[in-house]
């Protein structure tokens, strides 16, 4: 057998050493009735057959290397340099466990420390953890954390928060008697916040790509004794104001754009950062710098008394396994890009998006719904059902936008379509899309 | 091996490591200053700096690919290379979660296939692949239990029972889901104390979380009785499937009376641990709970695969459809081994653990002197009493023998615990090396305890000041004021 | 610039340290007339554009993952397990130089030592070197070596030696006054060898896949004071008699089948093994086991006085760079396969080939030209020109066989076609090929 | 780092590491025993054994990806990762060399494109990509020179001139091609001694092999004069292009009067050295030699790429079409950088080498005190005289500073030579570290020579017994008789 090295002779030798006559004796505690029921699994494939089978399945999918892709909404077709994958695929990174034995894990620990720093630099926040599952669940944890800090139970949510984030938030707050309020305005300047709100959640750019001005919001939130939570797109921070600059309290990002492939939705990387004063309420792992017995610099996991394996039911979260390897990718990506590269990605995305929106806006029957400035996504009202447009586009090798007809995030607009461009979107692809629309 | 500078110390202003097109259009409105960020202080390095830095860092890690890694409860088995090649196929790595279903039939077929495989292996009726890891699977299952009782108008059940041997995520999950966690003391034999269980059951109990086999590496002989009692009291049985590697192919959790469970694909189905993640924690359940699963799940309609939302779904626990990259690997693994191969997996996992047990029990305390499943729990308490060397000392000394220590100080109910899970991918020769090292260390503890206290001796850093790290946390680099 | 880290400021700093005013001063020795002529190169592409461009080019080729492949003749579509590539792509292997500093190269040196051993075990020979460019050039070196050992200058060549090997042999012996004789028989038992032959070269299985019985040939060659050289297929040695068992003096193999992709013909890996007594006449690098100052086991390059960097014009060969990384692949492959796996590959290839030949033999107008037993290739006479058959097959997703019509290796037979099957050839592919032929 | 067992010592009878289909047919004739082999004693290990073994071995290597590697004459520049991803694309890695041309147009386009790029860069008229490495390129070029003279009925030319500073492959190639090699003494300034050259030229001289810039890292100021003299004597100019990294984008070898040259793709065009290979050594030549090139070469016919055999080809030097995998990488590299990027390559290579020269010449002897090109040659003869520490001692001591030593004792005409080629992919910071180490070592040689004699001190093995290894060669493992 390919992954079980012991030969039959060795198995027998070991059973003898154990002092049992047969392997059956090792199942003595198991009720006989439940042993070896019928289990239907496909017949095994050898490695070459397996590769052929999996390749066939993979090639039944229309991937973004062969199709123009205009989908965004939380998963983005950004470019990941080859060097990033080569680093992720170092097996000392991907076949290690959580660095609980620091003497054997200085590689991962230093990388986490660097990741935490990079996320802090990017967001302008004080501290960041070693990663969460994804933006949605990280946001859920943030809301619970805000309630526990403020000892309040009302969560105010911006109307143009990603609908899946809203859904995850609801599930997370499910058992805690937390009230989930979808605020209907955009936290206008004049608006007063009631005194019993635990936190306010904004997304920037929002679900339909808009960049809103939230100057002054933090002050009003803090005055009300509440916590301000922002969901950001890390790529946008190559250009746009950071959560720290907005005096946000908890900044949540989806790290997927940072060198992680779209991979049909996962694994991604939840980015969680907050202010220094909230560090002990924070969920997730943290690496810290310290010294060894001889005074040599080293890294360890720290502040573990927040975590489930120490604090059990009193932990700040139940998270254990996180998205460590995806954080390796993000670390490598941000390192590779640097400030200039990240800015370039953001600018190219911003320009491409407007190359497309400018042309679509001119098509009869199309109306841009997102208010300028929008970043790399925009909602557009279409004269034909988006699902029908997507069907036609697919035949032209184009994965169209997301059908958001009737979504509350566009105030229920019928025939609403969310399109996205990144630095990888080419003029040819955009021109082709526009020409298909023009013909439709 | 020398100290590696921080990436920030390798930065040089103006240096670039990226290769991207120039911005050659001016289509977008200029952004007002109030939208724009200030300085962005990321490192500026070239590709060679970055490659060297992370290559050298990687070499500072111990990993499955460099040696034996018998971490109890973690199932550190070999991660087949073919899985990595499959996962990066463009048709899997570069598809968007919102693509029209007709354009991702291959991906849906993988998910559908995996759902079915897990249903079969677990002896359950339905599966959701959405949870990102074991703990999120637990959270999902416990919310499903809540939803089930609610749907039946049974609003009183606010307690989840959890044995004191349980993994930390179990009590933490119960709390995160808004339940009161009631701890259940284990018997002296490591089994659930049936009397204590009966005393704890009531109409306030929503369910019990049990790990099978238990975190003590033991199969609960009264499991059928326990599920009978729990069900009679109106509670449901939650199975922590982290230890499925002991059962796979031979015993189905569903047949033991469990109603819902999670499965760690990153353990039994060998998706790489990645230095702490990603994982994947699909939830499997009986028919009575199927409509509460988080959605969507994949169903087959004629020849077409399509998403379906369960009618009473607890909602989403995560964006999109779960950690698809891990689904691909697990599907590949099961397709490769088939039932015969999976049976061999659990058999050899059990033989390997018992072999270690048999070969070390005369030297280390064996708190539960019975046949174990895929892992064996030893205790260093005898050695501590005799020599002053703690389990931590033993663990650190193992490093000097070129191996990774087992899990230590867990389960909490075993003092000075050493939790050893060799997995089936290790050969007898490797186990013999480990056994040999463990026996030598026990002797060293008597002959030269300082050797253990001061271990490890061969690593780049010696024992680190964890107390200091927590007292004055240094969690990020900061540019020195210039 | 992406791979030149120094910034403009640093360049200036360095020029100042060098003591020159501008970079032009570093070109003082260069005649001004030859500096900066016009050079026409395509405009540079950024990494994402580059990847797209290269993918497009790659996908203009019909690869063996998407097409059934029936070509052999020295390059074979054998399966390489994923683990083999993962080992080759460890950058400590592929970004190292020749291990001239042994203290920093124990990984490569031990791997070469293991490779040498594996090739010796496989071939039954005494010593093997660290690799040559490919089988053809290794054979050229072997012939030159035989001439230098025997101090003779006649090279006798089996008629069914691969025609490209013959061509390379001719080039290699070009300057040495060596006479190249294509022997017209198959070294029949009775035949006497003339006393002035330097070496006899056989290939097993030969160009058209035949397994001939060469028992006793070595004895006769040695009686004539000549050297026996065999070209073998390493995969066949999972099953077939080894060169050592035939008492061959120099065994040359093409290592490509051992985990190395076909890659349009290169890089491959020339396998060179000989008898102990000839080791000092052997070309190429050798690793040897030795001890360090403290008596610890270690490896070094050895017997370097045979090589060009020490012996210059008196070296046994001019080879310097070899195919080291391909030898890593072969080492990993043979390790992964072991005796059982290699035998399985050989048996599957042997059976599949006959599945196909049995069916083609039944088609009207087709005649198998290779004499049984043949291994994984066979020549067949076709009723239609092979080039025409290949054209039709291509339209059905099949890369047909090699057109060897008129080749001397099939005695000039018209419409001759060389087909190959490996363990990767499926029944479906073979059945499809047969059905296309039947319709043709 | 501990000693790694030989793979043979990890073998266990009956263990398997492969996963292949079963043999499920009986179509072929049973093979007679006389065709069958006896026992095959390969190691029997599982995939985990093999992965661990080679992963651990890999970690015992120094490599470009782990640090500075300034080997003179080897151009150890960074190997971009994107090249590796391109080379394994199925459309490049899994195509057969004999496929119908219409089924490999993409591959032919790469080869055609690369031929043109190299023609442009070299200032030549035609290119063959067939040679597998530099030495084979030399062999090819020299055979072309022979064929050229022969074709002109000039049968007397049996001498190839080679400067005494040349790389070993040059004289070895001349001999392998059946020529008499005549060595040409270099002048005190490192240049070709024009008088000596004139004295050597005759109607027996087929050609001269010159390295540009020379192996002394110097540009030959009289190069135009030299080629005039050689051509006047009826000889041809062969260019060893191993040092093209000094010229690329700014100076074309063809413009210097060379008729034929090879180019090491594994140097200037950064295909990975692979621990010794593979390389690729395309040959570029002027029109007068084009029809002698080894064939086939790729030509374009309308929109179609096709192979063509040069009319007077010297024949094949290698099977198939050359090391295509390397052609793909080089084509990718040139496409990525373009002319502007390539100019920067040679500029920075030259600046880096001169920077080291300027910073070390007060401490190490500089045999040729002039501006150098992409590499600088120093000599440790002053240090040897003053301290007894040899260049080998210095080289081994560099290892203790975490860097790879330069090439040593080459070129042969420089006593105690240290040949330092930093390449353009190294930053000033890295060079400064190297310079710092070199200066410290010079000081250490005076203060504590034993420290150098006994170096290296940080490696797994100390200096190895090379003499013993050659005296009683142990070139393979043998199973101990049982
Ligand atoms: C018994 C047990 N339960 C639950 C978990 C949690 O799983 P995860 O880390 O995937 O969240 C673990 C992980 O170590 C475990 O060992
Ligand atoms: C100057 C010079 N010429 C020729 C060669 C030979 O090239 P290759 O090793 O590719 O055969 C080398 C390689 O080191 C060299 O440095």
């Amino acid at each position: 057998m390919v992954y079980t090295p012991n030969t039959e002779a060795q198995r027998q030798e070991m059973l003898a050493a154990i002092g049992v006559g047969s392997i059956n004796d090792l199942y003595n505690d198991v009720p006989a009735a439940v042993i070896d029921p019928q289990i239907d699994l496909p017949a095994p494939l050898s490695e070459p057959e397996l590769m052929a089978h999996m390749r066939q399945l993979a090639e039944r999918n229309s991937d973004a290397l062969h199709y123009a892709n205009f989908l965004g909404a939380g998963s983005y077709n950004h470019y990941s340099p080859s060097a990033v994958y080569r680093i992720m695929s170092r097996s000392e990174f991907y076949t290690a466990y959580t660095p609980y034995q620091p003497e054997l894990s200085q590689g991962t620990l230093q990388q986490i420390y660097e990741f935490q720093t990079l996320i802090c630099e990017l967001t302008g926040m004080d501290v960041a953890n070693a990663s969460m599952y994804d933006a949605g669940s990280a946001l859920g944890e943030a809301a619970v954390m805000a309630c526990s800090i403020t000892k309040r139970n009302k969560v105010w949510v911006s109307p143009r928060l990603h609908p899946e984030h809203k859904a995850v938030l609801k599930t997370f707050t499910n058992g805690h008697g937390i009230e989930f309020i979808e605020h209907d305005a955009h936290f206008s300047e004049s608006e007063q916040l009631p005194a019993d709100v635990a936190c306010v959640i904004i997304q920037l750019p929002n679900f339909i790509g808009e960049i809103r001005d939230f100057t002054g919001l933090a002050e009003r939130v803090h005055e009300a004794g509440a916590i301000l939570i922002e969901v950001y797109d890390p790529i946008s921070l190559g250009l746009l104001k950071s959560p720290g600059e907005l005096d946000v309290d908890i900044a949540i990002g989806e790290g997927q754009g940072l060198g992680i492939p779209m991979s049909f939705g996962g694994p991604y990387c939840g980015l969680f950062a907050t202010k220094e004063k909230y560090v002990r309420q924070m969920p997730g792992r943290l690496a810290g710098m310290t010294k060894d017995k001889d005074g040599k610099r080293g890294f360890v996991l720290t502040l573990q008394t927040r975590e489930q394996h120490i604090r059990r039911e009193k932990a700040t979260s139940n998270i254990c396994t996180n998205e460590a390897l995806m954080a390796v990718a993000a670390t490598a990506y941000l390192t590779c890009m640097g400030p200039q590269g990240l800015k370039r990605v953001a600018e190219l995305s911003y320009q491409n998006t407007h190359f497309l929106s400018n042309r679509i806006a001119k098509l009869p029957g199309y109306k841009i719904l997102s208010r300028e400035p929008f970043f790399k996504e925009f909602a557009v009202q279409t004269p034909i059902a988006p699902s029908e447009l997507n069907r036609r586009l697919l035949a032209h090798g184009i994965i169209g936008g997301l059908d958001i007809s009737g979504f509350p995030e566009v105030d229920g607009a019928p025939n609403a379509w969310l399109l996205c461009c990144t630095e990888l979107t080419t003029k040819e692809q955009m021109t082709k899309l526009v020409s298909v629309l023009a013909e439709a | 091996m020398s100290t590696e500078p921080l990436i920030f110390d390798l930065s040089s202003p103006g240096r670039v490591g990226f290769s991207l097109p120039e911005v050659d259009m001016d289509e977008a409105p200029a952004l007002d200053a109030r939208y724009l960020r200030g300085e962005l202080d990321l490192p500026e390095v070239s590709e060679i700096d970055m490659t060297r830095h992370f290559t050298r860092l990687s070499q500072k890690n111990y990993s499955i690919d460099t040696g034996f890694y018998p971490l109890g409860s973690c199932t550190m088995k070999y991660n087949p290379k073919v899985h990595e090649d499959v996962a990066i196929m463009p048709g899997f790595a570069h598809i968007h979660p919102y693509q029209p279903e007709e354009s991702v039939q291959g991906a849906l077929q993988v998910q559908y296939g995996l759902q079915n495989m897990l249903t079969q292996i677990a002896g359950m009726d339905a599966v959701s692949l959405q949870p990102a890891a074991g703990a999120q699977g637990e959270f999902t299952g416990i919310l499903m239990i809540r939803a089930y009782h609610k749907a039946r108008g049974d609003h009183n059940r606010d307690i989840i029972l959890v044995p004191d041997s349980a993994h930390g995520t179990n009590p933490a999950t119960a709390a995160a889901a808004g339940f009161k966690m009631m701890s259940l003391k284990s018997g002296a034999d490591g089994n659930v104390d049936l009397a204590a269980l009966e005393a704890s059951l009531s109409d306030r109990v929503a369910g019990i979380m049990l790990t099978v086999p238990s975190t003590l590496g033991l199969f609960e002989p009264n499991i059928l009785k326990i599920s009978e009692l729990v069900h009679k009291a109106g509670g449901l049985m939650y199975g922590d499937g982290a230890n499925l590697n002991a059962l796979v192919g031979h015993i189905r959790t569903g047949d033991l009376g469990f109603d819902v469970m999670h499965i760690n694909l990153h353990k039994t189905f060998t998706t790489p641990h990645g230095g702490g993640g990603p994982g994947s924690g699909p939830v499997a359940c009986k028919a009575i709970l199927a409509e509460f699963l988080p959605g969507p799940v994949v169903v087959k309609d004629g020849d077409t695969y399509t998403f379906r939302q369960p009618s009473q779904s607890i909602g989403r626990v995560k964006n999109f459809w779960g950690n698809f990259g891990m689904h691909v690997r697990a599907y590949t693994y099961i397709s490769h081994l088939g039932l015969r191969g999976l049976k061999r997996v659990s058999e050899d996992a059990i033989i390997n653990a018992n072999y270690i047990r048999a070969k070390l029990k005369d030297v280390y305390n064996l708190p539960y002197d019975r046949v174990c499943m895929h892992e064996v729990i030893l205790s260093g308490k005898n050695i501590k009493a005799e020599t002053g060397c703690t389990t931590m000392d033993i663990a650190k000394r193992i490093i000097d023998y070129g191996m990774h220590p087992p899990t230590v100080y867990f389960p909490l109910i075993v003092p000075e615990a050493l939790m050893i899970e060799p997995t089936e991918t290790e050969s007898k020769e490797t186990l013999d090396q480990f056994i040999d090292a463990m026996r030598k260390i026990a002797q060293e503890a008597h002959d030269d305890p300082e050797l253990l206290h001061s271990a490890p001796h061969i690593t780049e850093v010696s024992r680190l000041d964890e107390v200091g790290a927590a007292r004055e946390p240094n969690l990020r680099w900061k540019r020195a004021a210039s």
Side-chain angles (χ1 to χ4, degrees), chain A, chain B:
Chain A
M1 289 270 154
V2 62
Y3 304 125
T4 42
N6 286 331
T7 59
E8 198 44 49
Q10 286 180 313
R11 279 161 51 110
Q12 292 311 324
E13 230 183 293
M14 293 168 84
L15 287 170
I18 294 166
V20 295
S22 104
I23 181 151
N24 296 337
D25 299 335
L26 299 177
Y27 290 96
N28 279 343
D29 286 335
V30 185
V34 303
I35 296 185
D36 283 331
Q38 186 179 331
I39 296 179
D40 288 325
L41 291 177
L45 300 172
S46 69
E47 189 179 314
E49 294 166 315
L50 187 65
M51 279 298 271
H53 173 61
M54 296 311 294
R55 184 168 302 106
Q56 231 162 35
L57 289 176
E59 292 181 357
R60 291 193 66 194
N61 303 321
S62 307
D63 64 66
L65 305 183
H66 298 94
Y67 282 70
N69 173 72
F70 290 92
L71 282 166
S75 175
Y76 300 103
N77 188 33
H78 288 297
Y79 185 71
S80 181
S82 285
V84 171
Y85 177 71
R86 293 277 159 175
I87 287 165
M88 284 179 77
S89 67
R90 291 283 306 175
S91 60
E92 298 96 322
F93 280 133
Y94 80 81
T95 76
Y97 195 69
T98 307
Y100 286 134
Q101 294 286 347
E103 299 90 342
L104 294 179
S105 315
Q106 286 299 303
T108 289
L109 284 163
Q110 181 168 339
Q111 170 270 316
I112 296 176
Y113 182 86
E114 292 177 354
F115 172 77
Q116 291 171 180
T117 304
L118 289 166
I119 300 306
C120 288
E121 293 291 352
L122 188 65
T123 57
M125 304 298 289
D126 300 328
V127 287
N129 73 15
S131 79
M132 308 295 285
Y133 303 134
D134 64 1
S137 66
L139 181 59
E141 299 266 15
V144 172
M145 171 174 157
C147 292
S148 114
I149 290 172
T150 58
K151 304 203 168 50
R152 300 179 182 174
N153 70 349
K154 283 209 175 77
V155 172
W156 270 36
V157 172
S158 148
R160 291 190 179 162
L161 181 66
H162 193 302
E164 290 210 12
H165 292 348
K166 291 180 194 164
V168 176
L169 261 178
K170 277 185 198 144
T171 314
F172 264 74
T173 50
N174 179 318
H176 292 286
I178 293 174
E179 213 179 316
F180 180 90
I181 300 160
E182 259 192 78
H183 194 61
D184 52 1
H186 295 278
F187 304 106
S188 70
E189 237 173 84
S190 56
E191 187 186 0
Q192 269 289 321
L193 286 169
D196 59 350
V197 170
C199 62
V200 167
I201 301 176
I202 58 174
Q203 179 176 332
L204 196 60
N206 66 25
F207 180 63
I208 59 170
E210 297 165 335
I211 309 167
R212 297 280 172 136
D213 181 6
F214 285 114
T215 320
L217 176 61
E219 212 176 318
R220 286 180 294 129
V221 170
H222 294 153
E223 260 164 33
I227 298 271
L228 180 59
I229 301 175
E230 179 190 333
V231 182
Y232 63 92
D233 168 7
I235 293 294
S236 75
L237 296 188
L239 208 53
L240 302 185
K241 199 161 251 180
S242 69
E245 289 168 306
L246 290 170
D247 198 20
V248 159
D249 299 293
I250 307 176
I252 300 297
E254 175 47 71
Q256 178 270 327
L258 306 176
I260 300 168
M262 295 188 294
S263 201
F264 204 45
Y268 289 176
C269 185
L271 308 176
F272 196 113
T274 186
K275 290 181 174 164
E276 181 103 47
K277 59 180 168 187
Y278 299 130
V279 65
R280 282 168 205 271
Q281 275 82 44
M282 188 177 197
R285 269 176 223 140
L286 287 168
M289 190 189 278
T290 185
K291 291 204 178 334
D292 77 358
K293 284 191 311 181
D294 312 310
K296 196 168 172 191
R297 189 204 72 183
F299 300 89
V300 291
L301 290 182
T302 193
L303 299 183
Q304 295 187 66
T305 48
R306 299 165 299 111
E307 291 186 70
Q308 47 73 29
H309 62 287
I310 307 285
R311 277 286 273 262
R312 301 178 71 84
E313 68 277 12
K314 301 206 178 60
T316 55
S317 160
N318 72 336
I319 194 169
C320 177
T321 290
N322 61 11
E323 308 293 303
L325 190 67
M326 304 297 115
V328 172
T331 307
Y333 179 86
L334 287 170
T335 299
C336 187
M337 288 297 136
Q340 293 186 57
L342 197 70
K343 187 170 183 199
R344 181 83 63 84
V345 174
E347 279 179 347
L348 286 167
S349 303
Y350 182 56
Q351 290 294 342
N352 283 338
T353 300
H354 285 83
F355 181 97
L356 183 64
S357 66
N358 291 344
R359 278 151 192 79
I360 288 184
K362 289 195 197 112
L363 292 175
Y366 287 81
K367 190 182 141 211
I368 308 294
L369 297 174
S370 298
R371 207 174 71 187
E372 287 283 9
F374 45 83
F375 177 52
K376 66 183 186 194
E377 284 162 289
F378 61 94
V380 57
Q381 182 136 11
T382 60
I384 306 176
S387 57
E388 173 57 22
L389 291 176
N390 285 341
R391 211 185 49 71
R392 296 193 198 174
L393 287 167
L394 192 57
H396 287 84
I398 297 175
I399 307 284
L402 184 64
D403 183 357
I404 53 169
S405 308
F407 273 40
E409 292 78 9
V410 281
D411 309 316
N415 289 354
W417 204 29
L418 185 64
L419 289 162
C420 172
C421 299
T422 69
E423 80 282 13
L424 285 180
T425 318
T426 64
K427 276 183 203 154
E428 294 67 44
Q429 293 175 337
M430 296 187 278
T431 309
K432 178 118 173 256
L433 179 134
V434 172
S435 80
V436 175
L437 298 190
E439 283 162 24
Chain B
M1 197 167 271
S2 57
T3 302
E4 177 65 20
L6 290 173
I7 190 71
F8 311 100
D9 293 327
L10 297 171
S11 178
S12 190
R15 185 167 291 165
V16 299
F18 65 89
S19 166
L20 291 168
E22 304 290 331
V23 181
D24 67 346
M25 52 171 90
D26 190 15
E27 294 273 344
L31 280 169
D32 193 282
R34 74 201 147 117
Y35 297 123
L36 296 176
R37 73 170 302 144
E39 208 206 334
L40 176 54
D41 190 6
L42 298 178
E44 299 178 77
V45 303
S46 67
E47 192 174 304
I48 191 173
D49 301 321
M50 161 195 166
T51 294
R52 281 186 184 157
H53 176 69
F54 292 109
T55 302
R56 291 188 296 229
L57 281 187
S58 76
Q59 291 185 341
K60 291 175 193 281
N61 270 1
Y62 192 91
S63 63
I64 297 177
D65 274 12
T66 48
F68 185 47
Y69 213 135
L71 270 186
S73 212
C74 301
T75 315
M76 298 297 285
K77 58 168 78 176
Y78 178 66
N79 306 134
K81 299 300 168 195
V82 66
H83 298 185
E84 302 310 304
D85 284 350
V86 168
I88 57 168
M89 288 178 179
F92 292 137
H94 297 287
I95 50 176
H96 190 285
Y98 289 149
Q99 284 187 213
E101 287 176 356
E102 73 237 60
S103 74
V104 286
Q105 284 293 302
L108 293 175
Q109 188 175 341
V110 167
Q111 293 192 310
Y112 180 78
L114 182 60
Q115 286 174 190
N116 284 348
M117 289 165 170
L118 296 179
T119 302
Q120 283 292 322
I121 287 168
M124 296 282 186
D125 299 312
V127 161
S128 162
L129 302 175
Q130 193 174 103
Q136 204 177 43
E138 295 172 28
F139 183 63
T140 303
I142 296 302
L143 291 183
M144 286 166 68
I145 289 175
R146 170 202 299 286
Y148 167 84
H149 291 305
K150 262 206 182 147
R152 291 160 45 98
D154 193 351
H155 294 288
N156 256 352
R157 298 187 180 266
D158 61 348
I159 291 172
I160 293 283
L161 298 178
V162 180
D164 54 5
S165 58
H167 190 264
T169 50
N170 291 187
T173 295
F179 282 96
K180 287 189 190 44
M181 195 288 294
M182 187 183 284
S183 182
L184 210 56
K185 225 171 117 39
S186 305
D189 52 4
N191 295 334
V192 170
D193 180 332
L194 287 182
L197 172 64
E198 281 191 273
S200 308
L201 287 169
S202 74
D203 61 1
R204 284 187 55 195
V205 170
I208 184 170
M209 297 181 86
L210 284 179
T211 309
V212 268
S214 76
T215 59
L216 300 167
L218 304 174
F219 192 90
E220 172 60 60
N222 304 313
I223 187 66
L224 297 178
K225 178 74 188 163
I226 293 169
S227 64
E228 194 192 312
L229 291 172
V230 171
H231 285 140
K232 201 147 55 178
L236 292 184
M237 297 276 292
Y238 182 86
D240 179 333
N243 292 346
L244 183 59
N245 211 46
L247 311 181
V248 62
H250 283 298
I251 299 163
R252 306 192 304 182
T253 316
D255 295 341
L256 306 176
F258 286 89
D259 302 294
V260 51
M261 71 181 293
H262 77 264
I263 295 166
N264 303 59
L265 298 186
H266 45 303
K267 296 184 180 182
T268 311
F269 300 104
T270 200
T271 72
H273 280 90
S280 177
V283 163
C285 66
K286 293 276 172 67
I288 49 160
L289 291 175
E291 288 303 322
F292 298 103
L293 282 169
V297 295
V298 182
V299 295
K300 193 170 177 182
D301 183 2
D303 279 343
T304 308
Y305 300 91
T306 180
F307 280 129
R308 186 182 86 81
Q309 189 67 13
S311 60
Q312 297 165 275
S313 176
I314 59 156
R316 302 197 143 273
V317 294
K318 176 180 192 321
N319 296 146
F320 309 121
W321 335 125
N323 281 347
F324 176 71
M326 307 295 120
H327 306 161
V328 170
R329 289 173 174 87
Y331 175 92
T332 305
Y333 182 62
I334 298 170
S335 302
H336 195 180
L337 296 196
L339 182 60
R340 201 164 71 99
L342 290 176
K343 280 178 189 278
R344 181 68 176 248
V345 163
S346 56
E347 289 169 18
D348 284 9
I350 293 175
I351 294 175
N352 279 359
N354 278 287
Y355 181 70
I356 289 176
R357 179 180 57 80
K359 292 282 198 173
L360 288 180
K361 69 175 176 180
D362 60 328
V363 179
Y364 291 86
N365 175 264
L366 179 65
Y368 305 99
D369 189 4
R370 44 192 267 214
V371 159
C372 64
M373 297 299 282
H374 68 303
E375 61 194 351
V376 57
I377 280 75
L378 299 176
S379 164
K381 72 177 178 190
N382 56 329
I383 294 189
K384 185 175 175 191
E386 292 160 20
T387 71
C389 291
T390 63
T391 278
M392 187 56 80
D393 293 334
I394 294 167
K396 297 301 183 192
R397 181 65 186 151
I398 292 172
I399 296 173
D400 287 336
Y401 283 88
M403 282 173 273
H404 196 283
T407 297
V408 290
Y409 299 106
F410 177 73
L412 303 179
I413 59 170
V414 174
E416 301 293 318
L418 285 153
M419 186 187 206
I420 306 167
E421 182 182 7
T423 88
E424 76 286 357
T425 64
E426 298 295 337
S427 64
K428 178 174 175 297
E429 290 87 338
T430 301
L431 304 187
D432 284 336
Q433 278 168 29
F434 174 72
I435 289 161
D436 192 51
M438 288 295 284
R439 299 187 69 92
K440 281 202 186 117
I441 291 169
Q443 190 58 47
E444 288 168 352
H446 288 90
D447 299 346
D448 184 2
E450 189 45 37
L451 193 61
L452 276 70
H453 296 321
S454 56
H457 304 99
I458 63 157
T459 46
E460 186 195 346
V461 292
S462 57
R463 285 198 216 182
L464 290 145
D465 181 5
E466 308 206 12
V467 175
R471 195 177 309 124
E472 283 186 63
N474 172 349
L475 305 175
R476 56 169 295 193
W477 170 88
K478 281 196 184 105
R479 183 172 295 286
S482 60

